[in-house]
Amino acid sequence: MRHGHWIGGRAEEPANRSYLPTLDPATGLPGDEVAAGSAPDVDRAVAAAEGAWREWSRRSAADRSEALHRVADAMAAHADALIDLERACTGKVPAQLRLEVDMSVSYFRYYAGILRAHHGRTVDQGAGHHTYTRLEPYGVVAVITPWNLPLNQACRASAPALAAGNAVVAKPSELTSASTLMLARLATESGLLDGLLNVVTGTGLDVGTPLAVHPDVRRIAFTGSVVTGRHLATIAADRIVPATLELGGKSPLLVFADADLDRAVAAAVSAVTANAGQVCSATTRLLVEAPVHDEVVARVVEALELLKPGVDFGPMITEAQYRKVLDHFATAGAVPVTGGTAYDDLPGLYVRPTVYAGVDPRLRIAREEVFGPVLVTLPFTGEAEALALANDTEYGLVAAVWSGDIARALRLAERIEAGQIAVNGGALGIETPFGGFKQSGYGREKGIEALHEYARTKTVSLSLH
Ligand code: NAD
């Protein structure tokens, strides 16, 4: 099947009439084709968005809320079709797909709800003045997303951007565009104003950059690699438009000897299995207090060796990512205690869950984001060394701390340089603001913070004299 763009409430052919192939990474078979967009397609989509956002932003909060609830309803009603599309180009296992699609629906429900409580305020300047603020949209927001959680990331940025009164032009990864296109179609069919949610597919160079430099794009929301984030941040700085950058991570999971080891081991296993480790917030540096290090590693390895590819975890989603993980294995400079190879007997892009135990923290495998089912472990002695190792990274997206000493865990939570810290499995969801410190990026998604990201504050002051 061939997918065109979604522009102004309808499917549109690419200007150059070219399409790009996709691949089912679970089988290695070719998948659907998506439009190979280019600058003229971007121009059409931005024009459609520019023509739509003012009318949208003038509607009452109640109206906008109802419209976004209807988008959520349409997504929920077509969840199975969204799952099928997402599976075809990512090979994800069913539980992971269900989780991601349910969460995608929830982004629309959550922002449809809280937008009704998103107001300016009055500012008391004394008698004779009436001063207030208005929260106004930027206009056209570019949403550029990667391939690892395609629909989820598109919704994570688009729902708050729309809720705040903006229009969106989304540019998904050319390898995983189908679910984002279906989101836009469902949004239109559910009554969302034409032009409010557009999708232009294609490569970063042919669509992403023309979108970011477009003079009518007033804000950029980017999720992806540090290299592309830096490129887009440079464009944003040059154009003086704000950007949100959700980039990579090499996040620590700290386990003290007094922790509930059963739950800590389960958390370490799920860092590897959830989306086969292709999650920016995966806690792939397992830091364990020395007396229990070997026991924790043995239990994690035992659990990982029971897992079945295609059942408990999916493949690498792209061929490039598959090759990148195998290159990490070849150059690790350490011998894994489990894994370290691909499943050569399977047709898809599967690699074995892998653990490098007690590694030298200076090794590339211990410092770079692998973005695959790969853990490194490091033993530590005492709180100070745990903290130093946790912060010994250029990244700062998330961290997890497991300890029976809550005061110690919270002391560490205060000092670890990361945007989200889960203590003893603390829940993190749509309500909890998410975003990086250091090279993991800036700006916040999720929570009410994301609504603020997509609104500009205007002050109006009236003299009563
Ligand atoms: P990527 O940066 O290569 O691509 C991301 C998006 O940017 C894609 O749509 C791509 O087409 C586009 N793009 C690429 N080059 C571009 C250019 N020159 N100009 C404009 N757009 C361009 O990243 P990826 O390989 O698709 O994704 C993996 C990375 O994403 C990992 O590093 C991962 O950590 C990160 N990630 C971060 C988060 C987060 O929320 N922090 C979530 C998921 C993934």
Side-chain angles (χ1 to χ4, degrees):
M1 183 180 170
R2 282 191 156 176
H3 301 272
H5 305 302
W6 193 264
I7 298 174
R10 47 190 249 212
E12 290 274 358
E13 287 253 324
N16 58 17
R17 299 285 186 268
S18 321
Y19 289 81
L20 297 167
T22 66
L23 175 84
D24 179 345
T27 61
L29 297 172
D32 291 356
E33 292 185 334
V34 297
S38 56
D41 303 323
V42 170
D43 291 346
R44 278 188 291 156
V46 174
E50 178 64 16
W53 72 266
R54 286 182 185 79
E55 181 188 335
W56 170 244
S57 69
R58 284 184 196 127
R59 289 190 184 175
S60 71
D63 267 12
R64 280 183 283 130
S65 172
E66 285 304 319
L68 296 183
H69 272 302
R70 281 195 295 272
V71 176
D73 292 343
M75 290 172 72
H78 293 85
D80 291 342
L82 287 165
I83 283 174
D84 285 347
L85 283 177
E86 201 79 313
R87 197 217 55 75
C89 55
T90 63
K92 292 168 189 264
V93 295
Q96 178 73 29
L97 288 163
R98 178 63 61 185
L99 183 82
E100 288 179 26
V101 170
D102 286 352
M103 198 163 171
S104 302
V105 175
S106 292
Y107 279 119
F108 274 89
R109 292 215 192 287
Y110 175 71
Y111 288 105
I114 65 169
L115 82 82
R116 299 182 74 160
H118 189 234
H119 308 300
R121 62 191 177 96
T122 55
V123 180
D124 188 352
Q125 300 200 96
H129 303 277
H130 174 53
T131 306
Y132 60 97
T133 64
R134 290 168 47 78
L135 303 180
E136 298 188 353
Y138 283 88
V140 182
V141 175
V143 171
I144 302 177
T145 47
W147 44 259
N148 60 322
L149 306 166
L151 181 67
N152 201 268
Q153 286 153 339
C155 293
R156 190 177 72 189
S158 301
L162 291 168
N166 302 279
V168 167
V169 178
K171 204 303 272 178
S173 164
E174 65 275 24
L175 306 168
T176 56
S177 301
S179 57
T180 308
L181 287 163
M182 183 167 177
L183 161 71
R185 183 165 63 76
L186 289 173
T188 300
E189 287 171 5
S190 72
L192 197 72
L193 197 62
D194 291 348
L196 271 190
L197 180 52
N198 310 277
V199 182
V200 181
T201 60
T203 65
L205 284 181
D206 291 338
V207 177
T209 297
L211 183 58
V213 300
H214 196 292
D216 287 336
V217 167
R218 301 291 177 191
R219 198 183 203 296
I220 298 170
F222 173 70
T223 305
S225 63
V226 174
V227 173
T228 309
R230 189 173 288 121
H231 166 70
L232 291 173
T234 305
I235 293 173
D238 192 50
R239 296 194 45 226
I240 316 191
V241 300
T244 304
L245 301 182
E246 295 289 0
L247 309 178
K250 188 79 174 175
S251 298
L253 189 160
L254 289 74
V255 184
F256 284 84
D258 60 3
D260 178 337
L261 293 188
D262 291 344
R263 294 176 65 214
V265 165
V269 169
S270 95
V272 176
T273 53
N275 212 27
Q278 298 162 110
V279 180
C280 50
S281 53
T283 45
T284 52
R285 281 191 306 138
L286 179 59
L287 314 181
V288 190
E289 200 167 12
V292 293
H293 174 268
D294 292 356
E295 178 195 342
V296 168
V297 171
R299 290 175 64 179
V300 169
V301 167
E302 187 187 356
L304 291 179
E305 288 180 346
L306 293 175
L307 301 175
K308 295 197 171 29
V311 178
D312 299 307
F313 62 93
M316 297 296 91
I317 293 170
T318 73
E319 281 183 298
Q321 186 59 30
Y322 179 69
R323 284 195 299 275
K324 184 179 153 197
V325 175
L326 296 186
D327 178 63
H328 270 288
F329 291 158
T331 59
V335 178
V337 288
T338 189
T341 54
Y343 286 90
D344 293 330
D345 48 338
L346 294 177
L349 306 175
Y350 291 94
V351 298
R352 287 192 166 75
T354 299
V355 178
Y356 292 94
V359 294
D360 179 337
R362 292 166 301 184
L363 286 180
R364 179 173 161 236
I365 194 81
R367 308 199 72 77
E368 282 186 18
E369 180 186 53
V370 176
F371 224 53
V374 181
L375 273 187
V376 296
T377 81
L378 294 124
F380 67 80
T381 303
E383 192 176 320
E385 192 184 7
L387 179 65
L389 283 173
N391 284 337
D392 181 23
T393 170
E394 294 190 331
Y395 292 112
L397 195 53
V398 307
V401 182
W402 290 85
S403 174
D405 179 345
I406 301 304
R408 172 169 64 189
L410 293 185
R411 271 197 304 278
L412 284 163
E414 210 176 279
R415 291 172 200 163
I416 292 173
E417 295 168 328
Q420 280 195 326
I421 320 276
V423 175
N424 291 342
L428 296 168
I430 288 176
E431 294 82 359
T432 51
F434 174 68
F437 282 25
K438 295 154 71 179
Q439 299 278 300
S440 292
Y442 50 71
R444 290 294 174 266
E445 295 199 308
K446 303 186 176 178
I448 196 161
E449 279 74 3
L451 262 190
H452 293 306
E453 294 276 344
Y454 295 105
R456 300 183 281 196
T457 301
K458 177 185 281 179
T459 302
V460 181
S461 184
L462 171 72
S463 168
L464 302 183
H465 296 297

